[in-house]
Amino acid sequence: MAAYRYCEAVTGLQARNFSYGIRLLPEPKRLAMSALYALARRVDDIGDGDLPDDRKAEALLRTRELLDEIRAGVVAEDDTDPIKVALADAARRFPIPLGGFDELIDGVEMDLKGAEYQTYEELKVYCRCVAGAIGRLSLGVYGCEDPERGAQYADTLGLALQLTNILRDLREDALNGRTYLPAEDLVRFGCQQGFALSRPPAGADFAGLVAFEAARAQAAFEEGLRLLPMLDRRSRACTAAMAGIYHRLLGRIAADPESVLRGRVSLPGWEKAYVALSGLAGGRS
């Protein structure tokens, strides 16, 4: 239980949006989801950290080896890594498709290689590694009345969340030397100069670019939310809460595109709580 408490602490401190959703789950599922998040956060932190790329590659390899230990069922309860212990226990209790973590690592390795995306189809591959995989991992904890279709919807909902993240973090990513939006879209809207400044590129149709990408995210939300009726009430509420928070962020960005160049767009705590309660009451927020 101490290992799970560690994972819950990581989730509460590092993932405010995520934690609003998983609070709605019964304890066994909530603990399992905190273990999923804690390892996903470790992988993200490796990618975003200050280590040289070769050291990051080594850390990602060790994480793959950790997953192999869990799959082999050889993790001891007194192992010194609480995330490993908690996830191993969760994997014994729930049919978690651990290969989703390998996909997440694949996505982080794309970042290390400085991958850029010429087309939307290429970007979707990345999004499905870093976000769709988390949706499919979560479905292993939630359970689903139609696992095959549910996995497809979970994947698409992850795409919607990641597209929202990309829009929200446009300038922050640019300052870190990363561009995720497809190159063909940047050219189409005259934004190939990038987003390192707190104002749109001169002569660019920045509002048009954001509207175009937001419409893609909205379509992915509408498709992905078809997952909700396939879940039990508490899992449905959890998913609706997390998706609802990001959907509201998307609405704010679409209403004021230049806000993403001025700072990080976020929701106040009271609004996140409202969305979570709405999900519990059966709404889609």
Side-chain angles (χ1 to χ4, degrees):
M1 188 58 73
Y4 278 124
R5 296 305 177 208
Y6 175 86
C7 294
E8 284 196 303
V10 170
T11 303
L13 287 172
Q14 303 291 339
R16 298 294 176 84
N17 292 345
F18 188 82
S19 64
Y20 272 95
I22 67 170
R23 290 175 192 172
L24 304 175
L25 295 171
E27 184 177 54
K29 290 185 178 182
R30 188 183 74 246
L31 295 176
M33 289 295 290
S34 70
L36 289 183
Y37 175 79
L39 185 61
R41 182 70 193 195
R42 175 180 290 178
V43 173
D44 283 345
D45 285 348
I46 292 170
D48 293 336
D50 297 327
L51 291 174
D53 285 353
D54 59 339
R55 296 280 302 281
K56 290 182 179 181
E58 292 172 5
L60 292 174
L61 179 59
R62 288 196 297 273
T63 306
R64 291 192 192 273
E65 292 170 348
L66 177 154
L67 291 167
D68 288 340
E69 289 183 53
I70 293 174
R71 278 187 279 254
V74 296
V75 178
E77 290 187 7
D78 61 351
D79 192 285
T80 57
D81 184 342
I83 295 176
K84 185 198 300 186
V85 172
L87 186 58
D89 184 75
R92 287 191 291 268
R93 296 172 183 270
F94 298 97
I96 298 170
L98 294 171
F101 283 113
D102 291 294
E103 292 180 68
L104 175 59
I105 294 170
D106 290 342
V108 173
E109 288 177 340
M110 292 180 200
D111 282 337
L112 294 186
K113 294 173 183 175
E116 295 185 353
Y117 307 98
Q118 296 301 310
T119 67
Y120 180 52
E121 290 303 312
E122 291 179 4
L123 177 61
K124 285 199 292 187
V125 173
Y126 171 78
C127 290
R128 287 186 162 132
C129 283
V130 298
I134 301 300
R136 284 177 266 117
L137 285 161
S138 301
L139 208 60
V141 175
Y142 296 155
C144 181
E145 64 182 30
D146 186 341
E148 185 173 348
R149 276 203 308 149
Q152 294 172 357
Y153 290 143
D155 193 72
T156 303
L157 190 55
L159 172 63
L161 270 59
Q162 188 62 26
L163 289 174
T164 303
N165 268 336
I166 287 171
L167 288 174
R168 182 191 63 184
D169 298 338
L170 209 57
R171 186 169 183 226
E172 181 181 334
D173 288 334
L175 293 173
N176 289 322
R178 295 178 181 173
T179 301
Y180 291 99
L181 292 181
E184 63 182 10
D185 297 348
L186 300 181
V187 171
R188 176 180 176 180
F189 292 95
C191 293
Q192 30 314 27
Q193 296 175 50
F195 310 104
L197 301 177
S198 59
R199 60 185 183 277
D205 181 10
F206 181 73
L209 173 68
V210 172
F212 183 71
E213 305 299 351
R216 279 176 165 164
Q218 175 64 27
F221 271 115
E222 292 173 3
E223 176 75 9
L225 286 170
R226 294 183 182 182
L227 172 65
L228 294 183
M230 300 180 180
L231 306 177
D232 65 68
R233 178 174 175 268
R234 299 280 285 276
S235 298
R236 183 166 62 247
C238 174
T239 304
M242 288 188 285
I245 288 169
Y246 278 90
H247 192 239
R248 284 186 174 229
L249 283 174
L250 180 66
R252 274 176 164 69
I253 292 167
D256 182 9
E258 291 187 25
S259 63
V260 299
L261 300 179
R262 297 193 297 267
R264 191 179 183 88
V265 180
S266 62
L267 302 184
W270 69 263
E271 190 169 358
K272 294 178 183 179
Y274 168 79
V275 173
L277 289 172
S278 177
L280 189 59
R284 280 169 50 148
S285 306

